[in-house]
């Protein structure tokens, strides 16, 4: 049976917990549980790097302890802590053991396994809100080609599909996330989503809308590729960035795109929307 390391960070505020989740997810951690003043993070024992975690905890002045646990029924663990996520009357994310959410335009059902991006995290919420603010009139994505770069649980790809997108390509470099996203896509009956396990953006394809809820470093490293994959007149929604990251993101993307057409903040996390100039 596979062994996991459970790291318990104590004395953390919700804002610090969000930052820890982002940094640990970037370091290969797949599961997180938030409790009052505490964050638990889970990683395969063989992928545990104590020096990396020590550096992160020191940076945010928090303490952690490590326990080894056997692989378990993660769904039972999540069921006790996972609650539905709402973005007003626009969309809701729930697990299959929750009651139906009737008073929203789009309902997304996921299997809440130990993976990042269930919608609780501020960045997922911000991108969903931006999708409503910019494209939320009925089937506003009808005929639109969408790329979800760093799809995680597939929530944003599923939402784009339900909003009427012509085709959605969902990319992630983590096989755990791809497997979970595949289950969630099937559960939501989204037959127009193409899943891809990859580090890079798909070549030879361009998109009207790109969703990239990842982190600052990947957004900067893939800036040119993201711009090249965006059709003239298209829109890219970038998130997974802190307010302190905004100047670096602006400098990189404004070389190719218009100034941000929308900027949103939630718990010190940012969402930035850019549009691409039409040819000529």
């Amino acid at each position: 049976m596979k062994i996991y390391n459970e790291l318990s960070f104590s004395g953390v505020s919700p804002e610090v917990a969000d930052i820890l989740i982002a940094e640990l997810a970037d370091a290969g951690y797949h599961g997180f549980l938030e409790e009052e003043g505490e964050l638990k993070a889970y990683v395969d024992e063989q992928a545990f790097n104590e020096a990396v975690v020590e550096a992160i905890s020191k940076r945010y002045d928090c303490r952690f302890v490590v326990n080894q646990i056997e692989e378990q029924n993660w769904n039972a663990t999540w069921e006790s802590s996972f609650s539905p996520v709402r973005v007003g009357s626009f969309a809701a994310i729930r697990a299959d053991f929750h009651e139906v959410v009737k008073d929203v335009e789009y309902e997304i059902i996921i299997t809440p396994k130990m993976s990042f991006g269930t919608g609780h995290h501020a960045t997922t919420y911000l991108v969903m809100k931006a999708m409503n603010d910019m494209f939320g009139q009925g089937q506003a994505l009808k005929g639109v080609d969408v790329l979800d770069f760093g799809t995680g649980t597939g929530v944003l790809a599923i939402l784009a599909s339900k909003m009427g997108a012509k085709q959605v390509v969902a990319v992630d470099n983590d096989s755990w996330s791809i497997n979970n996203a595949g289950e969630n896509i099937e559960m939501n009956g989204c037959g127009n989503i193409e899943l891809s396990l990859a580090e890079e953006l798909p070549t030879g394809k361009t998109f009207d809308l790109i969703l990239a809820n990842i982190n600052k470093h990947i957004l900067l490293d893939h800036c040119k590729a993201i711009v090249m994959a965006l059709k003239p007149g298209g829109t890219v929604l970038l998130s997974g960035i802190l307010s302190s990251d905004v100047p670096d993101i602006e400098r990189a993307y404004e070389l190719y795109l218009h100034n941000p057409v929308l900027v949103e903040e939630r718990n010190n996390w940012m969402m930035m929307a850019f549009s691409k100039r039409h040819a000529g």
Side-chain angles (χ1 to χ4, degrees):
M1 182 172 287
K2 185 178 286 188
I3 301 297
Y4 287 84
N5 278 2
E6 177 189 72
L7 280 68
S8 298
F9 295 83
S10 58
V12 296
S13 66
E15 291 76 18
V16 170
D18 273 345
I19 296 171
L20 289 174
I21 288 172
E23 295 226 14
L24 291 169
D26 196 31
Y29 285 69
H30 296 293
F32 305 91
L33 287 174
E34 290 186 66
E35 299 173 353
E36 187 68 33
E38 184 180 38
L39 173 70
K40 292 182 178 180
Y42 298 85
V43 68
D44 189 315
E45 178 191 28
Q46 295 179 345
F48 175 64
N49 186 322
E50 186 170 5
V52 170
V53 182
E54 286 280 5
I56 292 173
S57 64
K58 184 177 181 181
R59 194 151 56 239
Y60 300 106
D61 193 26
C62 56
R63 303 177 304 278
F64 72 93
V65 295
V66 182
N67 294 306
Q68 289 190 332
I69 61 173
E70 292 184 346
E71 189 171 25
Q72 57 186 271
N73 183 352
W74 298 120
N75 284 356
T77 303
W78 271 98
E79 186 166 347
S80 65
S81 61
F82 177 73
S83 56
V85 177
R86 291 186 63 114
V87 182
S89 61
F90 171 60
I93 306 169
R94 68 172 178 87
D96 55 2
F97 50 76
H98 291 136
E99 292 184 4
V100 174
V101 182
K102 297 179 179 179
D103 57 341
V104 292
E105 190 173 357
Y106 302 106
E107 185 186 48
I108 300 170
I109 305 169
I110 70 165
T111 301
K113 293 187 177 180
M114 303 294 286
S115 54
F116 184 59
T118 60
H120 284 82
H121 194 265
T123 62
T124 306
Y125 177 95
L126 284 170
V127 177
M128 293 175 67
K129 182 177 183 299
M131 291 171 74
N132 180 37
D133 292 343
M134 301 183 75
F135 310 102
Q137 296 85 33
Q139 295 285 291
L141 294 183
K142 187 174 182 179
V144 170
D145 291 317
V146 179
L147 170 65
D148 182 13
F149 185 51
T151 193
T153 55
V155 164
L156 298 179
I158 292 167
L159 179 57
S161 176
K162 288 178 176 282
M163 291 176 69
K166 177 183 177 183
Q167 183 186 28
V168 183
V169 177
V171 177
D172 205 288
N173 65 357
D174 178 66
S175 58
W176 183 309
S177 293
I178 289 293
N179 292 337
N180 188 204
E183 293 177 6
N184 294 332
I185 288 166
E186 182 177 359
M187 189 182 304
N188 286 272
C190 299
N192 64 336
I193 300 177
E194 174 189 328
L195 271 176
S196 177
L197 177 63
E199 296 273 354
E200 308 292 335
L201 282 78
T203 58
K205 293 184 178 180
T206 55
F207 303 89
D208 304 285
L209 174 63
I210 297 178
L211 312 170
N213 180 24
I214 315 176
N215 62 55
K216 170 189 172 181
H217 302 297
I218 296 179
L219 293 177
L220 292 178
D221 289 346
H222 291 80
C223 173
K224 192 168 183 179
I226 289 173
V227 172
M228 293 292 291
L230 192 63
K231 293 180 182 179
T235 301
V236 57
L237 306 183
L238 307 177
S239 198
I241 51 181
L242 296 166
S243 56
S244 58
D245 299 330
V246 167
D248 291 336
I249 296 294
E250 282 183 332
R251 279 193 294 270
Y253 280 84
E254 285 177 357
L255 290 174
Y256 309 98
L257 306 175
H258 290 297
N259 294 341
V261 295
L262 180 65
V263 177
E264 295 279 356
E265 186 270 342
R266 183 180 176 91
N267 298 336
N268 203 38
W269 290 96
M270 307 299 296
M271 190 292 309
M272 303 177 71
F274 294 85
S275 62
K276 190 171 186 178
R277 300 173 179 86
H278 286 277

